Amino acid sequence: MSILIKPIITEKATADSELNNCYSFVVNNKANKIEIKDAVESAYGVSVTKVRTINVRPDRKTRYTKSGMITGKTSAYKKAMVQVAEGETIDLYSNL
């Protein structure tokens, strides 16, 4: 079971990583905070001080088309905000 799916790279997440040393990841829905902490520490070689998780709900959208009203939704996922110890960083752009 893969715990870390992908890092979240947005303006808000990048600012949070630069100011507060806190990185965001999309994680497996069944992963808990201890498993997320161990996965980040083994993958990036840093020490984690705090892990916060949130279940992101799906967005529902409705479109009006020629053939009628079409409804749809995005996928739900689990997000983890991981705070790294002072003085340590994670380079998310090295694998690109």
Side-chain angles (χ1 to χ4, degrees):
M1 176 173 87
S2 164
I3 305 285
L4 299 176
I5 296 173
K6 65 179 180 178
I8 297 174
I9 302 174
T10 59
E11 285 185 31
K12 189 173 183 179
T14 304
D16 202 24
S17 66
E18 292 172 355
L19 298 175
N20 300 328
N21 220 13
C22 188
Y23 299 90
S24 299
F25 295 93
V26 175
V27 295
N28 191 337
N29 286 336
K30 296 183 179 180
N32 60 23
K33 292 183 180 184
I34 298 167
E35 293 172 342
I36 294 168
K37 178 180 177 181
D38 293 339
V40 171
E41 286 178 346
S42 65
Y44 295 103
V46 294
S47 59
V48 175
T49 58
K50 185 191 285 187
V51 177
R52 294 175 292 159
T53 59
I54 183 173
N55 287 314
V56 179
R57 63 177 172 76
D59 289 333
R60 300 189 185 280
K61 295 182 180 181
T62 305
R63 285 176 291 175
Y64 299 98
T65 62
K66 279 186 199 178
S67 60
M69 189 167 69
I70 298 175
T71 59
K73 66 175 186 154
T74 60
S75 299
Y77 60 95
K78 189 171 196 176
K79 179 165 68 169
M81 283 76 70
V82 177
Q83 188 164 5
V84 179
E86 193 67 34
E88 295 183 348
T89 59
I90 296 175
D91 187 17
L92 298 176
Y93 301 103
S94 63
N95 294 339
L96 295 176

